[in-house]
Amino acid sequence: MKAETPTDSAAEDRIFAALASPVRRQVLQLLRERQPQPVTELAAHFAIARPSFSEHLRVLREAGLVGEHRVGRQRLYRLQAESLAEVQQWLHPFERFWRDRLTRLGEVLERLDDES
Amino acid sequence: MKAETPTDSAAEDRIFAALASPVRRQVLQLLRERQPQPVTELAAHFAIARPSFSEHLRVLREAGLVGEHRVGRQRLYRLQAESLAEVQQWLHPFERFWRDRLTRLGEVLERLDDES
DNA sequence: TCCATAGGTAGGAAATTTCCGACGTATAGT
DNA sequence: ACTATACGTCGGAAATTTCCTACCTATGGA
């Protein structure tokens, strides 16, 4: 049992802010495909300088989206998917708005209205 | 059939960038609770000036997250949930990382490693 | 011990975002 | 026609983010 607000608002902010960068989203995708990966290997996919990349990793770390794991002189990064689960939880109450047939119908009717 | 890249990268960027602001996320939540809502009513929940709020609405609109609907001198906003569905689609390949028992086990083992 | 490698921090320029007050536009009511 | 209401755009200040070039630290190998 942790001492956390039901949905820690600051943590949520940091997660969504982290996902706002295409570079950081792609890092997560790269880690999805091969699990622990050193910084150099990840950085090879991007045309930005290393300190900039380090900064991106820091943002991902502080959002709890990745974990670090030192081995020798490398730092292996891996996904920390619990933080992404929080995004899904945030998303969940919206699901019915794109799954409901009735909602769809409502949208179509409104769109007809708009076009007049 | 639309002329869109499988996942239009620019659209994805705009959606995630829009979600990065707590104000904008809350607007979506407000719209979830009551569907078409005029600007004044939405703005009443925030301590920012109206032009700033208008700007937030613009970002949401350009991300396709909300739709506008003029009625009289009001502009009614409603959710456009398809854009949120795109977020869920992006999220989907990550799901196994927090659902898999085996992944969980792997994480536990790695964590024991980290603590040494 | 000495050097190379892995990756971070420091400091700062440039771009972007956030926010504001002032002002413009359109519709509704009188 | 005149006024009030509902929102938007404009122009700019302040904060934040992104990216860079140095430079620092730690580990591994000769």
Side-chain angles (χ1 to χ4, degrees):
Chain A
M1 299 294 167
K2 290 282 215 46
E4 269 177 19
T5 317
T7 46
D8 183 344
S9 182
E12 193 185 274
D13 281 7
R14 257 175 280 131
I15 292 169
F16 277 101
L19 294 179
S21 154
V23 170
R24 292 191 292 259
R25 285 200 306 279
Q26 204 187 329
V27 168
L28 296 179
Q29 288 177 325
L30 289 167
L31 289 176
R32 196 181 62 207
E33 281 157 22
R34 193 146 35 82
Q35 249 308 325
Q37 235 176 122
V39 177
T40 316
E41 213 163 317
L42 290 167
H45 296 84
F46 304 92
I48 64 182
R50 304 295 295 280
S52 308
F53 193 68
S54 269
E55 174 69 12
H56 283 301
L57 290 178
R58 204 182 59 95
V59 173
L60 286 169
R61 249 185 285 123
E62 290 179 355
L65 285 162
V66 300
E68 202 196 9
H69 177 197
R70 294 161 128 105
V71 169
R73 50 186 168 183
Q74 307 197 113
R75 302 184 191 198
L76 302 180
Y77 277 82
R78 59 191 156 74
L79 274 180
Q80 212 125 58
E82 298 75 31
S83 293
L84 279 180
E86 247 185 82
V87 176
Q88 207 195 37
Q89 278 178 28
W90 184 88
L91 221 51
H92 185 255
F94 289 96
E95 261 195 53
R96 67 181 194 87
F97 288 92
W98 68 80
R99 294 228 194 283
D100 275 14
R101 293 303 187 98
L102 285 174
T103 303
R104 289 265 188 220
L105 179 57
E107 282 170 11
V108 169
L109 291 177
E110 279 179 5
R111 205 161 306 161
L112 287 175
D113 247 26
D114 286 348
E115 278 162 4
S116 64
Chain B
M1 300 294 165
K2 290 282 217 47
E4 270 177 19
T5 317
T7 47
D8 183 344
S9 183
E12 193 184 273
D13 281 6
R14 258 174 279 131
I15 291 170
F16 276 101
L19 293 179
S21 153
V23 170
R24 292 190 292 259
R25 285 199 307 280
Q26 204 188 327
V27 168
L28 296 179
Q29 288 177 327
L30 289 168
L31 288 176
R32 195 182 62 208
E33 282 157 21
R34 192 145 37 82
Q35 249 308 326
Q37 233 176 123
V39 176
T40 316
E41 212 164 319
L42 290 167
H45 296 83
F46 303 93
I48 64 183
R50 305 296 295 279
S52 309
F53 192 69
S54 268
E55 174 69 11
H56 283 301
L57 289 178
R58 205 182 59 95
V59 172
L60 286 169
R61 246 184 287 123
E62 289 179 355
L65 285 163
V66 299
E68 202 195 8
H69 177 196
R70 295 162 127 105
V71 168
R73 50 186 166 183
Q74 307 196 112
R75 300 184 191 198
L76 301 180
Y77 278 81
R78 59 191 157 73
L79 275 180
Q80 213 125 56
E82 298 74 32
S83 293
L84 279 180
E86 247 186 81
V87 175
Q88 207 196 36
Q89 278 178 28
W90 185 88
L91 222 51
H92 185 254
F94 291 96
E95 261 195 52
R96 68 180 193 89
F97 288 93
W98 68 81
R99 294 228 194 283
D100 275 15
R101 294 301 188 98
L102 286 174
T103 303
R104 289 265 189 219
L105 179 58
E107 281 170 11
V108 170
L109 291 177
E110 279 180 4
R111 205 161 305 163
L112 287 174
D113 248 25
D114 286 348
E115 278 162 5
S116 64

